[in-house]
Amino acid sequence: MSFSDFLFYFELGWSHIVSLDALDHQLFILALIAVYTSKQVKQILILVTAFTVGHSITLALSTFDIIRFDSKWVEFLIPCTIFVTAIANLFKNDKRKKNVQLNYYLALFFGLIHGMGFANSVRMMLAKDQYIGWGLFGFNLGLEVGQIIFVVLTMLISGIFLYFFKVRQRDWVIFVSSAVFALALQMALQRIPF
C-alpha cells in the first residue's frame, strides 16, 4: 500500500467525524462527553477510544464479510444510541467509579452499532484493496484523530461556559443532553425501518 492510499483512508475516516454529513457521529460524541470537564481528559480520551475500538471491530468484521446487517435497522439504531446516551446523562453521578467504567462499556457497545452504519458504504472499497488491514488502520486512525479534535473543540466551548460564564456543570449537562436528545429523537423517528 502506498502512502497516498493510506492518506486516502485516513481522510475518509477523518471526514467521517468532521464533515457536515457526520451529525449523528458528532452528536454521539457530544452526548458521550457532556458529563465531563476538561480536568477529566484521561477519562474522555479512554471513552472516545473505546468508541473507536467498537467502531473498528464492526467495520473489520463487515469488511471481511463475517457480519452483515440491514442498513435500515442500523440507521435507525444509531440515533437511538445517541438519545439513550443523552438520557443517561441526566441520571449520572460521574463521581462514582462504577458509572465511569459503565460508560466505557457503553461506548464500546454503541461503537459497534455506529461501525455498522459506515461499514456498508466502505465495505466494497476496502474489500477490493489487497492491503485491507492498512486501509482499516488508516480509516480508524483518521476517525480517532477527528474525534480527538472534535473533543478538544467541544471541551473548549464547554470550558468557556463553565469557567468564564459561570454556568453550573449540571445545567450545562442538562442543556447539552436535552438538545442532543431532541435532535437524535427526530433522526430516529425519520428513520423508523417499519
Side-chain angles (χ1 to χ4, degrees):
M1 172 180 258
S2 69
F3 185 68
S4 62
D5 292 335
F6 177 81
L7 277 181
F8 170 78
Y9 288 114
F10 180 90
E11 288 174 16
L12 195 61
W14 163 268
S15 66
H16 185 55
I17 182 67
V18 299
S19 75
L20 295 175
D21 295 334
L23 181 61
D24 55 353
H25 205 118
Q26 295 162 359
L27 287 174
F28 182 74
I29 296 295
L30 185 57
L32 200 59
I33 66 171
V35 296
Y36 296 95
T37 66
S38 57
K39 295 174 185 173
Q40 298 167 302
V41 172
K42 183 180 176 183
Q43 290 97 329
I44 294 168
L45 293 178
I46 292 171
L47 194 63
V48 170
T49 301
F51 177 72
T52 302
V53 168
H55 195 283
S56 303
I57 289 169
T58 311
L59 186 58
L61 291 174
S62 179
T63 300
F64 290 112
D65 215 12
I66 295 170
I67 60 167
R68 199 175 280 214
F69 293 94
D70 184 348
S71 61
K72 289 180 183 176
W73 278 99
V74 173
E75 290 304 316
F76 170 70
L77 288 174
I78 288 172
C80 291
T81 66
I82 300 167
F83 73 69
V84 165
T85 305
I87 289 174
N89 287 346
L90 303 177
F91 301 101
K92 280 184 183 163
N93 177 0
D94 63 348
K95 293 178 182 174
R96 290 168 54 196
K97 191 174 182 177
K98 186 187 258 187
N99 283 343
V100 172
Q101 289 175 339
L102 179 63
N103 290 348
Y104 299 147
Y105 293 118
L106 286 176
L108 178 69
F109 177 71
F110 288 166
L112 293 170
I113 294 170
H114 282 248
M116 286 186 272
F118 199 68
N120 290 332
S121 57
V122 85
R123 178 190 300 118
M124 296 308 292
M125 189 182 323
L126 282 169
K128 292 177 184 174
D129 194 329
Q130 65 186 51
Y131 301 104
I132 294 174
W134 282 108
L136 285 168
F137 177 70
F139 177 85
N140 290 315
L141 185 62
L143 178 75
E144 184 74 356
V145 170
Q147 286 180 157
I148 290 171
I149 290 171
F150 183 78
V151 165
V152 168
L153 292 174
T154 302
M155 295 314 292
L156 284 173
I157 293 167
S158 173
I160 289 169
F161 281 95
L162 294 174
Y163 301 114
F164 292 108
F165 293 112
K166 304 296 183 197
V167 173
R168 287 183 25 222
Q169 184 181 6
R170 187 70 186 143
D171 293 339
W172 176 253
V173 170
I174 290 170
F175 171 75
V176 170
S177 299
S178 299
V180 169
F181 171 81
L183 289 168
L185 183 60
Q186 181 182 11
M187 290 168 113
L189 292 173
Q190 291 171 347
R191 298 177 184 182
I192 292 176
F194 42 85

